[in-house]
Amino acid sequence: MLKHFTLDGKRIPFAEGQTIMDAAMAAGEYIPHLCHNPEFAPHGSCRVCTVKLNGRRVAACTAPALDGAEVENDTDELRDERRTLLQLLFIEGNHICPACDKSGNCQLQALAYYCGMTAPEFTHRYPLRPLDASHPDFVIDFNRCILCELCVRASRDADGKSVFAIHGRGIQAHLAIDSPSGKLGDSKLHKEDRAASVCPVGAILPKHTGYAVPIGERLYDRKPISVAGDVSDHRKDSS
Amino acid sequence: MSNKLRVATCSLAGCFGCHMSLLDIDDKIIALADKVEFDRTPLTDIKRIGRCDLGLVEGGVCNAENVEVLREFRRHCTTLVAVGACAINGGIPALRNHYPLQACLDEAYLHGLGVEHPQIPNDPELPLLLNKVHPIHEVVRIDHFLPGCPPSAETIWTFLEALLSGQPVEFTYRQIHYD
Ligand code: SF4
Ligand code: SF4
């Protein structure tokens, strides 16, 4: 007999060892998420997938599914909290979407649309962060990095290279690159690497393909992320 | 005294694209003109704002005059709306926040390509620039935000229609975008 929990009242079966997110994804139910990508070990850092498990807030990507549990996901309360988390991510970096080639294909932006964010509404930090265009195939713009560690996980676990790491703590936390100069161009990142195409936002962008798909015809321009899926489900056709 | 809704608009650190998008509502502008009276706006060229029901602000704040105009709009408008990416998060003008103000002035007026008679303008008539460009909600309270660069005519019209009929403002998925 499969175990099950309920997600907003719907029965979701699960196997031992699955998280709430694993089971929901397998059942075709959408729980908003940003740092989670089922190809990699869950990280639990962005907290966008926060659900209520028997009334307690947990990250769906790391919380093991529990037999007979009641899980709340698509509620006004959680949507408001998710929107606030997203607003904080926006003001923490520099996200000028009209000047970003990821716009329309960006998971941070798509989630903000999904959660009904019309503005970041907090005081902007406008941090001074560099842009590194030293690599022949990629630009890395630290202004847009949300520290989701997907590139870190992909480079370490899929490519076996550990080109990326997070250095520092709290507000000082930042993405660092393993190379003699600290520049991407001197690192071992290759354009076929999984880490090269895993970034859910416009921090790691391929060169030479800018605006190949016009604004208005991109992944999330017409369909919400709950329908269109994650950026990494569309690796071939999104920049 | 007519009972039409009084509307004021202005462009602070913006490009007038949002105003263009407002005009893009095409023939609905006639329906709009039946329901609203324009107060201070670049469309009427009225320079001083009076008591208004609605203020539409395009652009962020980049200089002292922007701050003054914005505060005046807040004082005079019952409902104040941030229209477009620049009003909402500084937008393209906020790209200069990466550089010290002096470096921006040097580049634009002294060392930039094609500059003739290099000099940094300092006429007392010119408003002083702020160190950084800011979204307008960091200066005054904002009642509604219309995102987009610019927000589409359809988004603006949906908003105006809801406001004019006293209905809650609700957008379809495609009416909210940041680019
Ligand atoms: S990374 Fe996404 S949210 Fe940030 S500027 Fe680019 S499109 Fe906008
Ligand atoms: S560069 Fe992209 S994938 Fe890497 S941590 Fe930053 S946002 Fe995540």
Side-chain angles (χ1 to χ4, degrees):
Chain A
M1 244 313 257
L2 265 182
K3 298 177 174 177
H4 78 270
F5 62 89
T6 60
L7 185 70
D8 296 330
K10 265 184 231 139
R11 262 173 89 95
I12 308 288
F14 70 93
E16 202 53 48
Q18 279 190 313
T19 60
I20 296 173
M21 181 68 81
D22 293 335
M25 278 184 161
E29 293 297 327
Y30 181 66
I31 299 176
H33 54 274
L34 184 52
C35 75
H36 185 62
N37 176 328
E39 282 174 65
F40 304 103
H43 192 238
S45 60
C46 76
R47 310 318 272 189
V48 169
C49 72
T50 298
V51 292
K52 277 193 176 177
L53 172 72
N54 291 335
R56 221 180 104 234
R57 284 173 183 74
V58 294
C61 72
T62 54
L66 214 60
D67 194 26
E70 274 180 35
V71 180
E72 288 170 53
N73 169 41
D74 193 13
T75 64
D76 288 348
E77 183 191 25
L78 288 170
R79 179 175 290 231
D80 286 353
E81 290 175 4
R82 288 171 183 147
R83 192 169 55 234
T84 304
L85 283 173
L86 294 163
Q87 288 175 321
L88 291 168
L89 283 172
F90 270 85
I91 60 106
E92 195 178 296
N94 292 304
H95 294 275
I96 311 287
C97 298
C100 176
D101 190 28
K102 193 76 173 184
S103 198
N105 289 327
C106 169
Q107 220 165 301
L108 172 63
Q109 190 188 57
L111 278 165
Y113 293 169
Y114 180 79
C115 294
M117 181 186 112
T118 53
E121 293 188 59
F122 292 104
T123 300
H124 285 61
R125 277 188 71 233
Y126 294 127
L128 293 177
R129 295 192 198 151
L131 181 147
D132 174 356
S134 58
H135 195 283
D137 302 308
F138 299 97
V139 177
I140 177 155
D141 188 341
F142 296 96
N143 292 292
R144 303 172 186 148
C145 175
I146 54 166
L147 304 175
C148 71
E149 284 205 16
L150 271 171
C151 59
V152 177
R153 285 178 274 168
S155 185
R156 184 189 59 214
D157 304 337
D159 307 329
K161 291 187 181 174
S162 291
V163 168
F164 301 101
I166 305 287
H167 279 192
R169 289 184 180 278
I171 205 69
Q172 306 296 341
H174 63 279
L175 189 66
I177 293 162
D178 180 24
S179 76
S181 61
K183 294 274 184 207
L184 197 61
D186 291 331
S187 77
K188 294 199 197 91
L189 184 75
H190 185 266
K191 68 168 180 256
E192 301 302 330
D193 286 355
R194 185 64 189 101
S197 61
V198 80
C199 183
V201 298
I204 305 178
L205 280 177
K207 287 184 175 174
H208 320 299
T209 61
Y211 296 92
V213 180
I215 299 266
E217 290 174 23
R218 297 181 173 194
L219 188 54
Y220 303 120
D221 284 342
R222 299 199 175 123
K223 288 189 197 139
I225 187 164
S226 55
V227 177
D230 292 352
V231 171
S232 55
D233 302 337
H234 301 262
R235 251 199 288 170
K236 292 286 170 279
D237 46 56
S238 72
S239 60
Chain B
M1 196 63 195
S2 81
N3 54 8
K4 286 181 175 180
L5 209 72
R6 276 197 89 78
V7 181
T9 78
C10 64
S11 178
L12 306 177
C15 71
F16 272 94
C18 295
H19 276 82
M20 288 303 169
S21 204
L22 168 65
L23 297 180
D24 243 5
I25 61 176
D26 297 332
D27 55 346
K28 296 191 195 87
I29 198 108
I30 298 166
L32 188 66
D34 280 343
K35 292 181 184 157
V36 309
E37 193 90 56
F38 281 106
D39 192 270
R40 172 184 166 155
T41 154
L43 308 174
T44 57
D45 217 18
I46 296 173
K47 305 288 188 211
R48 299 196 71 87
I49 186 170
R51 190 74 233 153
C52 285
D53 302 291
L54 174 65
L56 302 173
V57 181
E58 164 191 322
V61 288
C62 77
N63 64 33
E65 190 205 16
N66 291 160
V67 176
E68 213 173 289
V69 172
L70 178 59
R71 290 209 168 119
E72 231 181 312
F73 264 66
R74 179 68 278 181
R75 271 198 298 274
H76 287 85
C77 300
T78 311
T79 300
L80 196 63
V81 186
V83 183
C86 302
I88 283 172
N89 78 349
I92 301 290
L95 289 173
R96 84 149 153 96
N97 292 354
H98 250 65
Y99 307 93
L101 181 57
Q102 189 64 48
C104 295
L105 290 169
D106 287 357
E107 176 66 19
Y109 295 108
L110 301 181
H111 313 305
L113 269 183
V115 170
E116 284 176 30
H117 313 300
Q119 54 173 320
I120 293 176
N122 69 346
D123 191 287
E125 286 274 318
L126 292 173
L128 287 174
L129 293 173
L130 306 180
N131 276 340
K132 281 190 175 3
V133 179
H134 294 270
I136 63 174
H137 71 257
E138 291 184 11
V139 181
V140 297
R141 186 176 53 77
I142 297 299
D143 301 298
H144 292 278
F145 300 88
L146 299 186
C149 184
S152 68
E154 208 195 312
T155 304
I156 298 176
W157 181 245
T158 300
F159 172 77
L160 290 174
E161 255 195 329
L163 202 81
L164 286 167
S165 58
Q167 298 297 315
V169 181
E170 274 173 35
F171 298 109
T172 61
Y173 178 77
R174 292 186 60 178
Q175 287 178 335
I176 294 194
H177 62 94
Y178 306 157
D179 52 19

